[in-house]
């Protein structure tokens, strides 16, 4: 996608981090690079009495994977450059693309102005139109909120469901062992 954008807007030079011209730096996230986490969740939810795990707040952190972390740090470095005055979200149009960008932006600690390049199509004409008509990111805050809510809800259901099932499975194994011992 970064190459398609660079080709469509023209006059970009390939760099180690993506593409550049005097007024534009283009790079790619290449998927999820940051995620929501709940501090202290590893210490609760280990028994039925401590379920459900419902954190007071979630935090955003880079994903702990060497390739993802390297890409995250590269994007963070690009966003921190003094000549970069605004950051543009050109991730996939929709909730997931909005989430990917917003989590990276937050985890990177970026506070620069933000715009949204909504790509409806990947034709050169559509890319140029989206580039010319970027909107303030704030126009997509509701979509970002929906994406974040879905992400946090997935985390809550996932951790509580998996821990609950694991605990119940352990209880059932103990009860089965007791029943077998009692039948002997």
């Amino acid at each position: 996608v970064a190459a398609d954008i660079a080709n469509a807007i023209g006059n970009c030079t390939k760099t180690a981090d993506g593409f550049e011209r005097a007024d534009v730096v283009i790079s790619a996230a290449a998927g999820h690079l940051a995620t929501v986490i709940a501090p202290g969740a590893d210490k609760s939810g280990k028994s039925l009495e401590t379920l459900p795990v419902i954190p007071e707040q979630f935090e955003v952190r880079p994903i702990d994977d060497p390739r993802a972390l390297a890409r995250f740090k590269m994007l963070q470095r690009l966003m921190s450059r003094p000549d970069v005055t605004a950051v543009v979200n050109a991730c996939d149009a929709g909730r997931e693309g909005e989430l990917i960008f917003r989590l990276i932006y937050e985890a990177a600690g970026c506070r620069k102005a933000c715009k949204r390049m909504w790509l409806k199509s990947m034709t050169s004409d559509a890319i140029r139109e989206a580039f010319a008509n970027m909107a303030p990111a704030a126009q997509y805050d509701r979509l970002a909120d929906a994406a974040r809510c879905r992400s946090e809800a997935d985390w809550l259901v996932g951790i509580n469901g998996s821990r609950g099932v694991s605990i119940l499975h352990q209880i059932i194994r103990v009860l089965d062992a007791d029943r077998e011992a009692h039948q002997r």
Side-chain angles (χ1 to χ4, degrees):
V1 173
D4 289 342
I5 293 170
N7 288 333
I9 66 170
N11 300 320
C12 294
T13 303
K14 177 95 172 99
T15 68
D17 298 331
F19 303 88
E20 291 192 35
R21 69 180 197 194
D23 62 332
V24 176
V25 176
I26 303 169
S27 196
H32 290 270
L33 304 180
T35 188
V36 294
I37 61 140
D42 56 334
K43 295 174 179 60
S44 61
K46 304 291 183 174
S47 68
L48 286 178
E49 293 79 26
T50 60
L51 284 176
V53 176
I54 302 176
E56 289 185 34
Q57 67 183 25
F58 285 92
E59 292 180 6
V60 176
R61 294 210 181 129
I63 290 177
D64 189 17
D65 168 80
R67 291 180 66 195
L69 195 54
R71 179 147 304 262
F72 171 81
K73 287 180 179 180
M74 181 264 299
L75 291 174
Q76 184 179 39
R77 182 177 40 77
L78 291 174
M79 285 186 268
S80 299
R81 282 176 36 175
D83 62 326
V84 172
T85 58
V87 180
V88 175
N89 174 1
C91 288
D92 292 346
R95 187 177 66 187
E96 200 62 20
E98 198 65 29
L99 179 68
I100 288 169
F101 173 81
R102 299 281 181 123
L103 293 178
I104 293 168
Y105 182 84
E106 184 178 335
C110 191
R111 302 288 177 259
K112 294 183 179 180
C114 191
K115 297 178 182 180
R116 183 59 151 113
M117 185 174 159
W118 194 266
L119 295 164
K120 297 176 188 173
S121 168
M122 291 306 295
T123 66
S124 292
D125 287 341
I127 292 169
R128 282 189 291 274
E129 181 182 339
F131 185 77
N133 295 304
M134 287 186 268
Q139 288 185 10
Y140 296 89
D141 283 350
R142 287 185 176 181
L143 181 63
D145 291 344
R148 182 70 175 259
C149 286
R150 196 256 333 135
S151 179
E152 291 175 5
D154 284 355
W155 188 95
L156 289 166
V157 169
I159 195 164
N160 288 299
S162 62
R163 287 186 181 177
V165 168
S166 295
I167 292 166
L168 289 175
H169 181 68
Q170 290 171 359
I171 291 169
I172 289 169
R173 285 191 0 219
V174 169
L175 291 174
D176 285 346
D178 285 349
R179 186 179 24 211
E180 286 179 22
H182 187 48
Q183 288 176 349
R184 286 187 215 148

